[in-house]
Amino acid sequence: MRGNVIVGQSGGPTSVINSSLVGVFKTAKDRGAGKVYGMLHGIKGLLDNQFVDLSEHIKTDLDIDLLKRTPSSFLGSCRYKLPEICDNREVYDQIFAKLKELDIEAFFYIGGNDSMDTIKKLSDYAVLVNSDIKFMGVPKTIDNDLATTDHTPGFGSAAKYIAAVTKEIIRDGLVYDYPTITIMEIMGRNAGWLTAATALSKGEDCEGVDMIFLPEVPFNIDKFMERVKTLSKEKSSIVIAISEGIKLEDGRYVFELADHVEFTDAFGHKQLSGSSKFLADKVGAELGVKTRAIELSTLQRCAAHMTSRVDITEAFQVGGAAVKAAFEGESGRVIVLDRVSEDPYICTTSSQDVHKIANIEKKVPLDWIINDGTFVSDELIHYIRPLIQAELSPVMVDGLPRHLKLSL
Amino acid sequence: MRGNVIVGQSGGPTSVINSSLVGVFKTAKDRGAGKVYGMLHGIKGLLDNQFVDLSEHIKTDLDIDLLKRTPSSFLGSCRYKLPEICDNREVYDQIFAKLKELDIEAFFYIGGNDSMDTIKKLSDYAVLVNSDIKFMGVPKTIDNDLATTDHTPGFGSAAKYIAAVTKEIIRDGLVYDYPTITIMEIMGRNAGWLTAATALSKGEDCEGVDMIFLPEVPFNIDKFMERVKTLSKEKSSIVIAISEGIKLEDGRYVFELADHVEFTDAFGHKQLSGSSKFLADKVGAELGVKTRAIELSTLQRCAAHMTSRVDITEAFQVGGAAVKAAFEGESGRVIVLDRVSEDPYICTTSSQDVHKIANIEKKVPLDWIINDGTFVSDELIHYIRPLIQAELSPVMVDGLPRHLKLSL
């Protein structure tokens, strides 16, 4: 007789993070779990006694299919970092008491590298207090910056959306008979995987983007302006992709060069956007051509109307694999994706020690960044291409994609 | 025996402007036209001797289906305004000589109200010089601001895309357990139709946007700040839609209040964007909450991966109807859409005198703007809803929507 399980979502949302939630829910139910609880707003919700019995919210097969297609974390998210165990055992005792009270056998956390820190600490604490509750991490992040996994669920759909709208933006730029320069700004503070996905726009029906700048390589404004000038002599419509996180040699973000973006939010974080606007204004002023800055903003992480079927399926699979592993006795581990074959693309799951993953950022290898830091290699394009394949059509109701809403 | 016909595209592109091009091409061919020429970059291309034989570029049924799904003007566009006939007859003589040389029987122009000015002048000139060439306008604009037509092809798909991503953005805003305020900036300089489409996001699975500000009503910053403050006491996640063209009582655009947007492009046009950023910064600074500005930018006019089937079909129909009308002897007219039944939605085409359409902007009726200028009425939602119905799936190749590319 199995006990109950609990699952939470943490960090930034993705288009397919709920497919992983469904993977955990359905697999746990299928394998005989009692209740499947959902923490609201991650571990913070558990500490605040905020959780739901998921069976009361996912009632039918249609609900399951709607939830797979629902963007943004169904259960809500948080960016809460547990204290070091040596600094504050009280919060751990509180969590474990709560888990005991709920008769929890396994705890699942769907998140990125910050969230895996939670799994690391909780599983460490379980060893310390000799608890047999299993703690498993389920990977997700559009940023694709998790270590030891071939790629992360969420990345493929974001990459597909970015590549598709890049094609559309390139076509839009071709329409007029005067020069235009468009600068697209893509998410990714330290890792350029998503920005690199703009390279997939190139094909038989599209010339692709002209230059790509990732945060892995220092950005030189003068060289950039020189390159744009040269390019503008060769062609009329230019589209350039930059990462929101591009930095100068001296470590400053490019958007910090603009006078008007000293703005920090309520948490003291610099708003990480504005580089495309700064560069578009500069190019427009110096070259006297029409420029446009396009920030894809949150659309790239929530555009569930355009997901990759490969991605949404893998997102489900890592959720299911986490349950299977926990029920077989694993703990303190994270499910990862292993690419076992390139062509045909075949990917399986395995599990890795969470200590090898938590808090580590995987960046784009420097030898995949070519042309003096202005483009990405064919290897990188071949790496991403299988991850954007095939579709899962939205369920359309009265003209719009239908989602599953959590009613509290 | 029919002569040849020529067709051009003008003004801003839409997701479905090429469906109208296909409507002209296919109907002209089906009704026995000789060659179907396409002007490159509109009337300007004709003056520069830049045109193609469309049969050399649309060769198969697959090409036709790809072209229907290809965003942005296949033939390129222009924003060229013909001189008044009394000021410069030379350019008209040049155009008519070229049309005669090409044995043109009918001339079709796909465009918005500025472009219809071209049809007006050319058909007036035809009367003046006793030419029997027919000149017909084919309506298109995402802005939906054309007079005498129930709505314009291009609007329905843009409205569908906007409503769909609004749902996704609202869900994204709900994810965290702290307050967030998102301000979405939608196209529409003087008419708020597209911004109003954000209201369609509301439904069983979505609470919808909290406020909507259209350019038809003067925008008062102090009242806006008061309202946001009040709202932020009631709920944690707020999403507000504004038109890029919102103006203060004194006539200045809201984005002109920001220090940093004095930038004008190479043509002396003010860049019509930045209002959301200005307002988001102001709200963030004064309320101390996390804010985000999202400009949908050109995506709303080129997101052909998410079109309305009603819209793309009507776009085809107005193209076909223009050919039929011209071949039956009409000239100096524009095809319009007539809604003959609301439920079930039925729409037919007829033609209108171009003099009643050219250069006139249809705005949102003031009695459809409610709650002291902060929302839109159910009538407006019911007006838009039928126009976003059903889908035409993109043709996906290797994970991305395939387009038809003009190879010169």
Side-chain angles (χ1 to χ4, degrees), chain A residues 7-20:
Chain A
V7 56
Q9 296 172 306
S10 172
T14 80
S15 297
V16 304
I17 186 170
N18 294 321
S19 186
S20 291

Side-chain angles (χ1 to χ4, degrees), chain B residues 7-47:
Chain B
V7 55
Q9 296 172 306
S10 171
T14 81
S15 297
V16 304
I17 187 169
N18 295 321
S19 185
S20 290
L21 178 64
V22 172
V24 169
F25 172 75
K26 196 166 177 312
T27 310
K29 280 289 175 192
D30 288 350
R31 289 179 175 249
K35 286 189 185 303
V36 180
Y37 292 108
M39 303 170 231
L40 300 181
H41 298 295
I43 189 75
K44 212 157 159 276
L46 184 66
L47 283 163

Side-chain angles (χ1 to χ4, degrees), chain A residues 12-15 142 187 297-303, chain B residues 172 176 292:
Chain A
T14 80
S15 297
I142 60 167
M187 281 185 169
S297 190
T298 50
L299 293 174
Q300 58 204 301
R301 74 179 188 192
C302 68
Chain B
D172 189 86
Y176 291 116
R292 196 185 281 274

Side-chain angles (χ1 to χ4, degrees), chain B residues 312-384:
Chain B
I312 210 163
T313 303
E314 289 178 349
F316 182 94
Q317 286 168 342
V318 294
V323 171
K324 181 169 178 283
F327 285 1
E328 287 171 358
E330 291 191 40
S331 186
R333 299 183 74 81
V334 180
I335 301 301
V336 297
L337 291 163
D338 303 315
R339 191 184 303 220
V340 293
S341 162
E342 191 64 53
D343 187 13
Y345 171 78
I346 301 173
C347 197
T348 61
T349 61
S350 65
S351 70
Q352 285 279 351
D353 185 343
V354 68
H355 296 82
K356 290 187 185 159
I357 293 181
N359 309 314
I360 299 169
E361 272 182 326
K362 185 178 75 175
K363 299 185 184 183
V364 175
L366 290 181
D367 59 349
W368 281 4
I369 304 173
I370 61 169
N371 297 356
D372 198 18
T374 64
F375 216 79
V376 298
S377 71
D378 285 345
E379 288 95 327
L380 181 40
I381 293 172
H382 292 149
Y383 162 79
I384 301 176

Side-chain angles (χ1 to χ4, degrees), chain B residues 25-203:
Chain B
F25 172 75
K26 196 166 177 312
T27 310
K29 280 289 175 192
D30 288 350
R31 289 179 175 249
K35 286 189 185 303
V36 180
Y37 292 108
M39 303 170 231
L40 300 181
H41 298 295
I43 189 75
K44 212 157 159 276
L46 184 66
L47 283 163
D48 296 342
N49 230 9
Q50 299 285 314
F51 53 88
V52 294
D53 177 349
L54 275 174
S55 295
E56 291 173 13
H57 298 274
I58 311 172
K59 294 178 187 166
T60 64
D61 289 347
L62 177 59
D63 284 351
I64 283 181
D65 256 272
L66 287 176
L67 186 51
K68 274 189 188 173
R69 292 161 168 87
T70 298
S72 191
S73 315
F74 184 66
L75 295 170
S77 187
C78 68
R79 289 199 185 276
Y80 181 83
K81 207 175 166 96
L82 282 170
E84 295 301 325
I85 295 171
C86 55
D87 291 340
N88 179 353
R89 290 183 63 136
E90 205 179 314
V91 61
Y92 291 91
D93 288 336
Q94 201 185 331
I95 291 169
F96 276 72
K98 174 59 66 185
L99 295 177
K100 197 175 173 189
E101 184 190 320
L102 293 174
D103 186 26
I104 298 299
E105 175 182 345
F107 175 110
F108 304 98
Y109 216 45
I110 307 168
N113 37 32
D114 286 344
S115 311
M116 290 309 118
D117 179 72
T118 299
I119 287 295
K120 177 171 76 74
K121 286 171 176 159
L122 289 174
S123 59
D124 284 354
Y125 196 75
V127 171
L128 217 82
V129 298
N130 211 17
S131 160
D132 57 5
I133 301 174
K134 312 303 179 201
F135 293 90
M136 291 295 296
V138 181
K140 87 64 231 172
T141 167
I142 60 166
D143 292 328
N144 198 39
D145 59 353
L146 240 60
T148 82
T149 185
D150 178 76
H151 57 279
T152 57
F155 172 65
S157 293
K160 184 185 185 92
Y161 175 77
I162 288 167
V165 301
T166 300
K167 284 187 72 172
E168 293 170 338
I169 287 168
I170 289 169
R171 281 206 67 83
D172 189 86
L174 289 169
V175 79
Y176 291 116
D177 53 347
Y178 49 77
T180 58
I181 299 176
T182 303
I183 302 181
M184 294 175 61
E185 184 170 330
I186 319 281
M187 280 184 170
R189 185 181 285 254
N190 300 315
W193 298 106
L194 284 176
T195 308
T198 57
L200 277 73
S201 59
K202 189 174 179 176

